[in-house]
Amino acid sequence: MVKTIGIIGAMDLEIELLRDNMKLISKENIAGFNYCIGRIEGKNVILTCCGVGKVNAACCTQILIDRFKVDYIINSGIAGGLHKEVKICDLVISDNVTYHDVRKNQMRSCFPFKEYFEGDKYLIDVAIKACEITKKENYHVGRIVSGEYFVSDKNIKNNIIEEYNPHCVEMEGAAIGHVAYLNKIPFVVIRSISDNADNDANMDYDTFEKISAEVSAKLVLNMIDMI
């Protein structure tokens, strides 16, 4: 059975390289989201940009599932590093995702009664193999946390680290994983580090955002070839 891979980036720069490598068949605009339908590495792919933030990401993901019946979801993009071993331009592969701006007790006690959402083992394994084959970037497998603000304060960063022990922080991955979980769709979040989520984050982000976005997208291209 032919599989369809849904790929989501928050910003245009995060999907630019993927779009450049896509044989475009058609486009659809639904609820303001543009969906590119085509093939990459001979595989059926739906590529979309969800915009920044959890609500945008969740809406875009649900449409991707309902309208395009995707079999897998890969979220590609950039993030702020939160682990001492994670450096700028390193890759992080999510083994699970959660929110850093929602209380753990609320996650456990309210539907869907999950403190975090686990990435798909098959997709994680594919991502690891793709990293090991290319041997171009350092990679890590770990927790990715999401919230509704760009983390650029050392004190906030340290609080998130103490509470969640994550590898990196961004603004969409947990919402994408949340929706994928509800719909029983395998997912993984791939992030390349653009900054260290500290007081220098804005300066680092401006310098490395495009480079890091391409690092993540290149890994996803290699993953598509292997799926």
Side-chain angles (χ1 to χ4, degrees):
M1 183 178 177
V2 177
K3 301 290 187 179
T4 299
I5 305 165
I7 303 172
I8 305 173
M11 300 178 292
D12 190 68
L13 67 88
E14 293 174 322
I15 65 168
E16 184 177 1
L17 182 64
L18 293 157
R19 190 171 53 230
D20 290 345
N21 282 269
M22 186 178 205
K23 183 179 179 181
L24 184 65
I25 296 171
S26 63
K27 291 183 179 180
E28 289 191 33
N29 184 283
I30 305 172
F33 302 111
N34 291 314
Y35 295 87
C36 297
I37 301 121
R39 295 177 72 79
I40 298 177
E41 303 291 349
K43 309 294 172 58
N44 292 333
V45 170
I46 313 297
L47 178 65
T48 185
C49 183
C50 68
V52 173
K54 297 184 297 187
V55 175
N56 283 333
C59 290
C60 184
T61 303
Q62 191 63 57
I63 293 169
L64 189 66
I65 294 167
D66 288 344
R67 173 65 181 86
F68 300 102
K69 311 299 182 186
V70 295
D71 298 287
Y72 303 113
I73 292 175
I74 302 173
N75 174 214
S76 178
I78 58 182
L82 292 182
H83 192 283
K84 63 182 180 180
E85 294 182 1
V86 175
K87 311 301 181 185
I88 288 178
C89 291
D90 279 7
L91 286 158
V92 178
I93 302 162
S94 68
D95 60 5
N96 71 83
V97 294
T98 191
Y99 306 108
H100 68 75
D101 56 358
V102 180
R103 290 177 301 159
K104 290 181 180 180
N105 183 58
Q106 181 178 334
M107 296 284 288
R108 290 191 296 264
S109 61
C110 298
F111 180 83
F113 314 107
K114 293 278 290 182
E115 189 176 315
Y116 55 86
F117 305 99
E118 296 176 339
D120 179 68
K121 187 178 185 306
Y122 168 69
L123 292 176
I124 293 170
D125 287 345
V126 169
I128 291 171
K129 288 176 183 176
C131 286
E132 291 177 345
I133 287 171
T134 59
K135 296 181 180 178
K136 289 184 178 180
E137 310 294 342
N138 293 323
Y139 74 90
H140 314 265
V141 180
R143 169 170 287 178
I144 296 177
V145 293
S146 307
E148 286 297 340
Y149 51 88
F150 180 79
V151 177
S152 57
D153 181 279
K154 189 174 182 179
N155 291 328
I156 293 174
K157 171 182 177 175
N158 289 338
N159 288 338
I160 294 172
I161 292 170
E162 183 177 352
E163 181 75 13
Y164 295 98
N165 191 30
H167 276 61
C168 64
V169 60
E170 35 84 301
M171 299 176 69
E172 298 83 26
I176 291 168
H178 189 151
V179 174
Y181 168 80
L182 292 176
N183 289 272
K184 297 181 173 60
I185 303 295
F187 81 93
V188 70
V189 177
I190 306 295
R191 287 287 189 267
S192 179
I193 304 303
S194 60
D195 60 86
N196 289 314
D198 55 17
N199 296 342
D200 295 324
N202 286 301
M203 181 174 62
D204 291 340
Y205 179 88
D206 291 341
T207 303
F208 292 104
E209 61 172 340
K210 185 172 178 58
I211 297 169
S212 298
E214 289 185 356
V215 169
S216 181
K218 285 177 182 176
L219 173 60
V220 174
L221 285 173
N222 290 329
M223 289 177 64
I224 293 169
D225 189 41
M226 297 172 66
I227 291 175

